[in-house]
Amino acid sequence: MSESDDVIQIEKMSADQFAGAVVLILGAIGSLLLVVWQSKCHCKVNLCYICQCERRPPNQDEMKGLKDQAKKLNKKEDNDNKILKKEEEILAPEVEVQTPREDTPRLIPKTSKEIAEEEEKEKIIDEKLKELI
């Protein structure tokens, strides 16, 4: 084996392939950081001494504040639900008015069964008319 056989050769990449690889790597790193930040454990992240971050779980005072915020959001959602219910009550009569009546012409095609029934009715009517004449 020569030296050229031992070395792994990589084909040249186009710019869009390189961009895709960079996005893939950054997405993986970002998702890992997201999992770490959303965890409730104490952690430190050191990115080559360029960026150092530390996350600590919230203390009791912060937890009380978060509970209060959650209660406010629930009250707001309840008010939103009340508004939606009132809006539905207001729009209900409009829906009743907009429903088509049976005497309006149909715009959808009839099925073969409906066509056959109409032909039978027409034959019966024709027979009765012939009897009268």
Side-chain angles (χ1 to χ4, degrees):
M1 290 190 159
S2 64
E3 289 183 28
S4 63
D5 292 336
D6 294 339
V7 179
I8 298 173
Q9 294 181 355
I10 299 174
E11 294 181 20
K12 293 182 179 178
M13 280 193 271
S14 64
D16 62 337
Q17 290 173 335
F18 178 73
V22 169
V23 168
L24 186 66
I25 292 168
L26 291 178
I29 293 170
S31 62
L32 179 65
L33 289 175
L34 182 67
V35 169
V36 169
W37 285 156
Q38 288 183 347
S39 67
K40 296 201 186 260
C41 59
H42 181 261
C43 57
K44 288 184 179 181
V45 175
N46 183 5
L47 185 62
C48 300
Y49 299 102
I50 296 171
C51 177
Q52 295 180 354
C53 298
E54 181 177 3
R55 187 200 181 283
R56 296 181 184 201
N59 58 23
Q60 295 296 328
D61 294 335
E62 292 173 351
M63 289 300 286
K64 289 179 185 176
L66 291 174
K67 286 181 183 178
D68 293 339
Q69 288 178 358
K71 287 179 183 177
K72 287 179 184 178
L73 286 175
N74 286 337
K75 287 180 182 178
K76 184 178 179 183
E77 288 177 6
D78 289 340
N79 288 339
D80 291 343
N81 289 338
K82 289 178 184 177
I83 291 171
L84 288 175
K85 287 179 183 177
K86 288 180 182 178
E87 184 175 322
E88 288 174 2
E89 289 174 7
I90 292 170
L91 293 177
E94 290 181 13
V95 172
E96 291 174 3
V97 170
Q98 293 175 355
T99 54
R101 300 184 320 212
E102 291 182 17
D103 59 345
T104 58
R106 291 178 46 167
L107 298 176
I108 51 177
K110 296 179 181 180
T111 62
S112 58
K113 184 179 179 182
E114 291 174 333
I115 293 171
E117 289 175 358
E118 283 188 9
E119 288 176 356
E120 288 178 26
K121 289 179 183 178
E122 288 177 7
K123 287 179 183 178
I124 294 171
I125 292 172
D126 289 340
E127 291 173 4
K128 289 184 179 180
L129 285 173
K130 287 179 182 177
E131 290 175 4
L132 291 175
I133 297 177

